[in-house]
């Protein structure tokens, strides 16, 4: 296989974007719309909200940990996409992840309709059949070989190096905090609205409103990530902070119009943070270690996805409403944005190169020759 010196910034990469588009739609569209099943599970199993919340949180955690079909398709696809793009990486990520917004808009009312007509068991069977289309997406993936691959070593060496890499570990900690609160509206917003007296279908439709705003946020953020000079981590911190604030304000809103405004704000900012979150990682570890790096990040941040929804449900059971649940969820995102401030060159005006990881080593016979560390990629 011919090794490229630099990512092509296009070519077959656009087919990888197409594959990632459908995968993100099927993976996160289902997860984000799962809140319509939550109320049905509470009624069917006659259990407390905290216990029922484990259903969605385990699904989120397993998807990110890598033990299910979702993780084995989506995570490698996003890593593959990172290797095809450099200058237009954030835009490519944003376009690929717009599938989440489109499917979330369609799936929430669709799932509610399926529940109304086929009950929750029949609806789950149909959702499972829909998810089987993930198999076709894998046929569009084509591995790309880069010259730096020979210098970063095998997967084992990359994982030793990454676990000693301070910026990578801080970034992983930030995403874990963000992940703890990120999915709360998609699990408990419908139930919160029903507590306020909303009917199930309008409550599910509010998720669709957030999904449309999410779609716009992903494209806008992807474009800004490539257009604005400086580290992409700054944009990630901005969107994360705004998402945390919008989450914390949900319990304050009582009027329907205010809730719609908050749903639009949350949808835009939460959608905007996603493509830049994937774009920050190559700046920290380089494209040569992106597969191992993304796999480790997804595995560790799954802890947040596992614990977030049950914690929110527990607070609902203790307090009798979802006020504390949304405030705490917002606090987790704000804490994550604080950790992002510690990343290298956060306040720099110079964009960070991702053409090589920061500690490349070329092996020549028995001698290992370290390459000069690039600006913006040194370990702190």
């Amino acid at each position: 296989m011919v090794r490229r010196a630099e990512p092509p910034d296009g070519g077959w990469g656009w087919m990888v974007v197409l594959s990632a588009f459908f995968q993100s739609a099927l993976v996160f569209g289902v997860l984000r719309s799962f809140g319509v099943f939550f109320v049905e599970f509470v009624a069917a199993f006659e259990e407390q909200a905290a216990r029922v919340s484990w259903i969605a949180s385990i699904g989120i955690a397993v998807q990110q940990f890598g033990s299910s079909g979702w993780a084995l398709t989506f995570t490698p696809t996003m890593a593959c996409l990172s290797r095809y793009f450099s200058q237009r990486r954030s835009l490519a990520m944003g376009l690929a992840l717009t599938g989440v917004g489109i499917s979330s808009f369609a799936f929430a009312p669709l799932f509610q309709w399926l529940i109304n007509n086929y009950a929750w068991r029949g609806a789950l069977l149909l959702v499972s059949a829909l998810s089987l289309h993930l198999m076709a997406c894998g046929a569009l993936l084509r591995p790309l070989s880069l010259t730096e691959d020979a210098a970063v070593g095998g997967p084992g060496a990359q994982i030793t190096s990454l676990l000693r890499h301070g910026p990578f570990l801080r970034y992983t900690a930030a995403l874990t905090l963000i992940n703890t609160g990120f999915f709360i509206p998609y699990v408990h917003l419908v139930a919160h609205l029903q507590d306020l007296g909303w009917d199930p279908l309008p409550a599910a439709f509010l998720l669709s409103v957030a999904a449309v705003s999410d779609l716009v946020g992903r494209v806008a953020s992807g474009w800004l990530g490539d257009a604005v000079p400086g580290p992409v981590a700054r944009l990630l911190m901005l969107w994360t902070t705004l998402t945390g604030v919008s989450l914390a304000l949900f319990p304050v809103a009582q009027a329907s119009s205010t809730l719609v405004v908050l749903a639009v704000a949350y949808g835009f900012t939460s959608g905007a943070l996603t493509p830049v979150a994937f774009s920050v990682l190559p700046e920290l570890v380089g494209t040569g270690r992106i597969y191992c790096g993304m796999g480790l990040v997804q595995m560790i941040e799954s802890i947040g996805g596992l614990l977030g929804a049950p914690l929110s449900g527990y607070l609902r059971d203790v307090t009798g409403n979802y006020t504390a649940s949304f405030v705490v969820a917002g606090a987790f995102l704000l804490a994550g944005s604080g950790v992002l401030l510690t990343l290298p060159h956060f306040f720099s005006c110079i964009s960070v190169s991702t053409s090589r990881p920061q500690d490349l080593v070329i092996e020549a016979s028995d001698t290992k020759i370290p390459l000069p560390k690039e600006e913006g990629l040194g370990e702190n």
Side-chain angles (χ1 to χ4, degrees):
M1 182 182 295
V2 178
R3 294 185 185 274
R4 289 178 173 266
E6 297 286 341
D9 255 333
W12 191 259
W14 294 116
M15 298 304 295
V16 179
V17 170
L18 180 64
S19 174
F21 171 87
F22 286 109
Q23 290 188 46
S24 66
L26 292 172
V27 171
F28 288 102
V30 171
L31 287 176
R32 286 186 164 203
S33 304
F34 212 73
V36 299
F37 285 97
F38 177 80
V39 179
E40 300 297 324
F41 291 158
V42 171
F45 297 113
E46 298 181 348
E47 292 286 353
Q48 295 179 324
R51 291 187 176 183
V52 176
S53 298
W54 282 103
I55 299 173
S57 66
I58 289 174
I60 294 170
V62 169
Q63 178 271 323
Q64 293 175 323
F65 191 80
S67 302
S68 71
W70 281 346
L72 294 176
T73 56
F74 182 76
T75 302
T77 300
M78 298 309 293
C80 181
L81 192 154
S82 296
R83 291 167 62 83
Y84 270 94
F85 292 89
S86 177
Q87 299 300 320
R88 294 186 285 184
R89 179 181 291 124
S90 293
L91 177 60
M93 290 286 184
L95 292 174
L97 294 171
T98 54
V100 180
I102 294 175
S103 62
S104 297
F105 173 78
F107 285 178
L110 171 63
F111 290 177
Q112 187 64 58
W113 183 85
L114 291 175
I115 291 171
N116 292 342
N117 288 273
Y118 300 102
W120 65 266
R121 289 181 173 85
L124 283 179
L125 288 174
L126 293 172
V127 172
S128 300
L130 184 65
S131 297
L132 284 175
H133 289 82
L134 286 168
M135 297 174 61
C137 298
L140 294 176
L141 302 183
R142 181 182 297 173
L144 179 67
S145 182
L146 301 173
T147 54
E148 69 182 74
D149 295 343
V152 297
Q158 293 179 40
I159 294 173
T160 304
S161 64
L162 289 172
L163 292 179
R164 296 197 308 265
H165 189 275
F168 171 78
L169 294 176
R170 295 197 296 274
Y171 177 68
T172 303
L175 287 192
T176 302
L177 290 169
I178 294 169
N179 211 38
T180 304
F182 185 83
F183 290 100
I184 298 306
Y186 298 103
V187 179
H188 289 149
L189 181 58
V190 172
H192 171 61
L193 294 175
Q194 292 192 30
D195 283 351
L196 296 179
W198 286 47
D199 291 330
L201 197 57
F205 184 74
L206 192 64
L207 286 181
S208 297
V209 172
V212 174
S213 183
D214 175 290
L215 174 65
V216 178
R218 288 169 190 268
V219 177
S221 178
W223 177 80
L224 284 173
D226 293 329
V228 176
V232 184
R234 283 211 298 258
L235 276 177
L236 177 58
M237 190 277 293
L238 171 66
W239 300 131
T240 302
T241 301
L242 294 176
T243 303
V245 171
S246 64
L247 271 177
L249 290 176
F250 261 111
V252 179
Q254 298 294 324
S256 300
S257 58
T258 307
L259 285 165
V260 170
V261 170
L262 275 178
V264 170
Y266 170 78
F268 184 91
T269 56
S270 63
L273 75 84
T274 307
V276 290
F278 283 104
S279 297
V280 169
L281 190 58
E283 291 187 353
L284 294 177
V285 304
T287 53
R289 294 187 293 185
I290 191 63
Y291 282 104
C292 287
M294 193 167 291
L296 280 175
V297 167
Q298 293 269 283
M299 182 182 72
I300 297 172
E301 73 170 344
S302 67
I303 298 171
L306 177 66
L307 299 179
L311 174 61
S312 176
Y314 170 77
L315 293 173
R316 162 66 174 82
D317 293 334
V318 171
T319 63
N321 56 57
Y322 285 98
T323 298
S325 302
F326 281 93
V327 171
V328 171
F332 275 112
L333 272 87
L334 293 175
S337 66
V339 176
L340 292 173
L341 292 171
T342 69
L343 294 181
H345 307 282
F346 182 87
F347 299 99
S348 172
C349 294
I350 302 174
S351 297
V352 180
S353 171
T354 63
S355 60
R356 296 192 312 221
Q358 59 253 43
D359 53 1
L360 279 180
V361 175
I362 294 180
E363 296 190 12
S365 64
D366 294 330
T367 305
K368 292 185 178 180
I369 307 171
L371 294 178
K373 293 181 179 179
E374 296 192 14
E375 177 67 23
L377 292 178
E379 297 188 21
N380 286 336

